[in-house]
Amino acid sequence: MENFSLTTKNTLKVTENSFIITFNEKLDFIPTQFIMIETPSVVRKPFALGEWFNDLAIGVEVIGKGTAYIVEQKALKVHGPLGKGFVPPSGKGAMIATPACLAIAFDLHQRYDCDVFIGSVEKLLAEIPFEVVYGNDEFVELLESLSGYDWFYVVGSDQMEKVAFDLLRQKAPVYISFNEYMACGIGACRGCAIQTKEGIKHVCIDGPVFRGDLVWN
Ligand SMILES: Cc1cc2nc3c(=O)[nH]c(=O)nc-3n(C[C@H](O)[C@H](O)[C@H](O)COP(=O)(O)OP(=O)(O)OC[C@H]3O[C@@H](n4cnc5c(N)ncnc54)[C@H](O)[C@@H]3O)c2cc1C
Ligand code: FES
């Protein structure tokens, strides 16, 4: 874990608000580990590490000043890789994600040959190598249709993750990437604590990925 700079190779607009930023540098990381990125804000912002066609990459959904700043930069000061990362169980897996999580999806697909399904409310502006479903009803239909998988991994908004967990939990273990606010990313501020069935865990050092049934009923 260290401080370093990443220089932008390309910024691909995936939807009106979501981007994939690729970098010139390489980095060793475990899937779903994240970096904390410096912005003009006092606290750094967490972003999951991924890959996009052989380049180190992150996905960014612009929702506020920090994310708007990040997609405009040519170089970023970052700290990481952080978090435990997620090594899936054996067997065939499926990942369900939003467009901002495409870089994580590409990385997991490359490493574990899992199927990837992207749920989006916005039209995709870039070609991607995965199936996309648009709209809430279509998303629910997709989740109901999935069968024969040994594990699921879901990453996106809190609401989308809970819907997916509820619809998939009877089929196979569902792993969720939790979205708590992070100030330090290293277990020091205790700001990302969540209550689990195994006691208090910190998303930054014990996660960010947990089995959904460890946290939700
Ligand atoms: C482990 C981890 C990995 C992440 N990876 C990614 C990623 O790969 N791509 C990506 O686009 N985003 C990711 N995020 C979320 C990202 O860090 C936030 O969207 C970003 O920090 C927002 O910064 P901002 O300054 O643009 O917005 P802010 O001004 O901080 O917030 C704008 C709005 O979004 C809300 N908000 C901000 N952060 C969060 C949050 N963590 N959970 C819920 N609501 C929030 C605020 O309440 C506010 O309404 C990740 C978060 C975590 C915890
Ligand atoms: S972000 Fe500070 S303890 Fe997790």
Side-chain angles (χ1 to χ4, degrees):
M1 183 187 14
E2 52 181 316
N3 293 311
F4 53 97
S5 292
L6 292 174
T7 56
T8 302
K9 182 174 179 182
N10 188 34
T11 302
L12 174 69
K13 189 167 183 164
V14 184
T15 70
E16 209 41 58
N17 295 315
S18 298
F19 300 80
I20 295 171
I21 304 178
T22 58
F23 299 108
N24 294 306
E25 295 78 11
K26 299 282 178 206
L27 185 65
D28 276 336
F29 65 93
I30 302 167
T32 82
Q33 278 191 306
F34 62 95
I35 46 175
M36 296 292 281
I37 301 181
E38 280 187 26
T39 72
S41 158
V42 185
V43 289
R44 296 170 174 154
K45 310 275 179 174
F47 290 85
L49 288 161
E51 191 190 308
W52 193 248
F53 294 98
N54 295 324
D55 288 325
L56 179 68
I58 58 169
V60 180
E61 180 181 4
V62 174
I63 59 164
K65 284 185 183 164
T67 42
Y69 168 88
I70 287 167
V71 297
E72 291 296 325
Q73 303 310 302
K74 288 281 164 247
L76 293 167
K77 287 187 183 162
V78 311
H79 181 68
L82 300 165
K84 258 171 77 172
F86 169 58
V87 176
S90 58
K92 184 72 179 169
M95 175 172 176
I96 295 96
T98 52
C101 305
L102 272 166
I104 322 173
F106 195 94
D107 179 49
L108 216 71
H109 172 70
Q110 293 284 101
R111 297 197 205 211
Y112 297 105
D113 195 29
C114 57
D115 291 340
V116 174
F117 302 94
I118 303 295
S120 183
V121 285
E122 291 183 293
K123 186 175 163 20
L124 260 72
L125 306 172
E127 293 242 338
I128 63 160
F130 306 122
E131 182 178 336
V132 187
V133 291
Y134 293 101
N136 293 338
D137 292 348
E138 291 76 3
F139 185 63
V140 168
E141 264 173 43
L142 166 79
L143 296 174
E144 286 173 343
S145 74
L146 297 180
S147 64
Y149 290 105
D150 300 297
W151 55 269
F152 296 103
Y153 167 54
V154 186
V155 55
S157 68
D158 291 352
Q159 193 191 4
M160 167 275 203
E161 291 181 346
K162 189 66 171 65
V163 167
F165 173 72
D166 287 339
L167 288 167
L168 296 173
R169 62 185 304 179
Q170 302 304 334
K171 303 185 190 194
V174 185
Y175 295 85
I176 303 286
S177 193
F178 282 83
N179 297 309
E180 308 310 301
Y181 287 93
M182 289 187 181
C184 70
I186 54 169
C189 73
R190 305 294 174 201
C192 66
I194 55 170
Q195 183 69 52
T196 76
K197 288 171 190 161
E198 293 175 353
I200 299 277
K201 302 272 182 191
H202 293 89
V203 174
C204 65
I205 48 172
D206 301 316
V209 177
F210 298 89
R211 260 182 80 135
D213 59 3
L214 198 62
V215 182
W216 289 329
N217 289 314

